[in-house]
């Protein structure tokens, strides 16, 4: 197996489609398809499932990915040495987080990381789905649920406080009442979230006006007068159009966890990004 074949494999694994992978390597899509078929034939394994949404790694492909990324890291290090000893990092990282956390917490750190390491391409996926680290759907995942998989290295990153918000200047409801109040809350698929139960207990007579699984959407609806919303403080406090409501008891906060596959622990670009995230968010 040649390095040029591994570069094609890595591009398809990262971009998910032949077209996007071909553009990243400045090759044609037919060439990419032909090279992938040749690679799979040479290793005697199907490395990707072909789906309507793109290419998804098989178990064999995920195993190849871990080794290919180590080879990539060593190759890039050798290229830096041959180019004159530059220690500049390069490569690709795919991150996953919720929409609001990516926009309001991670983005400033990622912008700083990009200034420090301009040759590292970071892709941030903000998705309500829990992307799989074992299946290598992402390299680094931020989420509110602890990781339980044995092959995942994880840590609690930060505790996020939440608050109840209303459009600035609007009348505040009374605790343990809520008559006349309208709520913007999570959709029914997320009805077991702690803040949903908190709202029912603190404002039992309030009416639900709107639902959304996006905290950013909830914040925009709240700012435009649709109703009260429980929001993460980093999001709610950043918006001048809304203000905190004090009911004598704050909504429950949430812990955010970060995790990555143990095969990635020696990947220099991942370590550099994780170190910066921890430094900026936990100090």
């Amino acid at each position: 197996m040649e390095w040029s074949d591994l570069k094609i494999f890595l591009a398809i694994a990262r971009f998910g489609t032949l077209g996007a992978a071909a553009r990243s390597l400045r090759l044609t899509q037919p060439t990419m398809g032909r090279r992938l078929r040749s690679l799979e034939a040479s290793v005697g394994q199907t490395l990707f499932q072909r789906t309507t949404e793109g290419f998804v790694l098989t178990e064999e492909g995920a195993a190849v990915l871990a080794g290919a990324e180590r080879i990539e890291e060593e190759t890039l290090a050798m290229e830096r040495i041959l180019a004159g000893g530059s220690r500049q990092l390069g490569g690709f990282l795919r991150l996953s987080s919720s929409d609001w956390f990516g926009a309001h917490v991670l983005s400033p750190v990622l912008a700083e990381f990009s200034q420090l390491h301009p040759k590292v391409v970071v892709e941030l996926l903000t998705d309500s789905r829990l992307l799989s680290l074992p299946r290598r759907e992402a390299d680094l995942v931020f989420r509110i649920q602890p990781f339980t998989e044995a092959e995942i290295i994880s840590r609690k990153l930060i505790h996020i406080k939440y608050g109840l918000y209303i459009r600035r200047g609007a009348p505040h409801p009374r605790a343990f009442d809520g008559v006349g109040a309208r709520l913007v809350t999570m959709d029914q698929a997320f009805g077991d979230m702690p803040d949903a139960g908190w709202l029912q207990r603190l404002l039992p007579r309030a009416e639900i006006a709107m639902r959304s699984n996006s905290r950013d959407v909830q914040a925009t609806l709240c700012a435009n007068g649709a109703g009260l919303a429980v929001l993460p403080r980093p999001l709610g406090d950043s918006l001048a159009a809304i203000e905190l409501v004090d009911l004598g008891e704050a909504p429950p906060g949430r812990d955010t966890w970060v995790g990555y596959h143990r095969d990635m622990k020696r990947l220099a670009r991942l370590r550099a990004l994780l170190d910066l995230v921890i430094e900026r968010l936990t100090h």
Side-chain angles (χ1 to χ4, degrees):
M1 187 182 301
E2 299 180 358
W3 168 232
S4 59
D5 293 329
L6 289 179
K7 287 177 67 175
I8 287 173
F9 168 78
L10 286 170
I12 298 172
R14 287 164 176 169
F15 290 96
T17 66
L18 285 182
R23 288 191 293 273
S24 73
L25 296 180
R26 297 182 180 179
L27 297 173
T28 65
Q29 187 168 330
T31 297
M32 292 288 288
R34 184 174 63 254
R35 295 282 295 275
L36 175 59
R37 290 191 295 272
S38 176
L39 173 61
E40 289 182 322
S42 69
V43 299
Q45 300 285 351
T46 299
L47 303 177
F48 294 96
Q49 294 177 354
R50 279 69 167 173
T51 73
T52 56
E53 296 181 354
F55 284 64
V56 179
L57 285 167
T58 61
E59 289 186 9
E60 294 79 10
V64 171
L65 180 62
E69 287 175 327
R70 286 194 293 270
I71 294 172
E72 179 189 45
E73 186 71 16
E74 293 171 0
T75 302
L76 291 171
M78 186 179 299
E79 290 175 352
R80 291 194 295 270
I81 293 172
L82 294 175
S86 169
R87 297 181 60 84
Q88 192 173 70
L89 298 176
F92 178 91
L93 286 172
R94 176 177 287 143
L95 280 58
S96 171
S97 77
S98 64
D99 56 350
W100 76 266
F101 191 84
H104 300 278
V105 178
L106 276 184
S107 288
V109 183
L110 296 182
E112 181 181 357
F113 180 80
S114 182
Q115 294 293 320
L116 294 171
H117 305 288
K119 293 189 177 297
V120 179
V121 177
V122 177
E123 180 179 79
L124 175 60
L125 305 177
T126 56
D127 200 319
S128 59
R129 294 181 302 123
L130 294 179
L131 298 188
S132 171
L133 286 168
R135 292 198 302 269
R136 309 307 295 273
E137 294 176 342
D139 301 314
L140 198 62
V141 170
F142 300 84
R143 71 188 201 190
I144 59 176
Q145 296 181 8
F147 297 84
T148 58
E149 303 92 334
E151 62 268 49
I152 302 306
I153 298 173
S154 67
R155 60 166 286 172
K156 185 167 72 174
L157 180 65
I158 187 174
H159 180 78
I160 301 289
K161 294 181 179 179
Y162 280 57
L164 179 64
Y165 292 85
I166 196 169
R167 184 169 63 175
R168 188 170 297 278
H172 291 204
R174 292 185 301 171
F176 304 105
D177 186 1
V179 171
R182 291 169 61 79
L183 305 177
V184 176
T185 186
M186 299 299 293
D187 68 295
Q188 292 181 324
F190 293 88
D192 59 349
M193 296 283 278
D195 54 275
W198 180 89
L199 276 172
Q200 291 177 357
R201 184 167 57 84
L202 269 292
L203 296 173
R205 302 176 70 182
E207 297 181 354
I208 294 178
M210 295 204 173
R211 299 181 185 271
S212 173
N213 66 348
S214 167
R215 297 290 187 182
D216 267 321
V217 170
Q218 292 176 20
T220 300
L221 290 169
C222 178
N224 284 277
L228 297 112
V230 173
L231 302 171
R233 292 289 301 268
L235 168 58
D237 292 352
S238 70
L239 302 176
I242 60 179
E243 62 186 16
L244 274 172
V245 174
D246 183 7
L247 296 181
E249 175 187 330
R254 301 301 299 266
D255 292 328
T256 294
W257 299 74
V258 59
Y260 57 95
H261 198 281
R262 64 188 177 193
D263 289 342
M264 303 284 283
K265 65 182 180 181
R266 291 191 176 92
L267 198 64
R269 58 184 178 271
L270 184 143
R271 294 200 312 271
L273 175 56
L274 185 57
D275 287 346
L276 183 63
V277 168
I278 290 172
E279 181 179 349
R280 293 293 179 264
L281 300 186
T282 65
H283 293 87

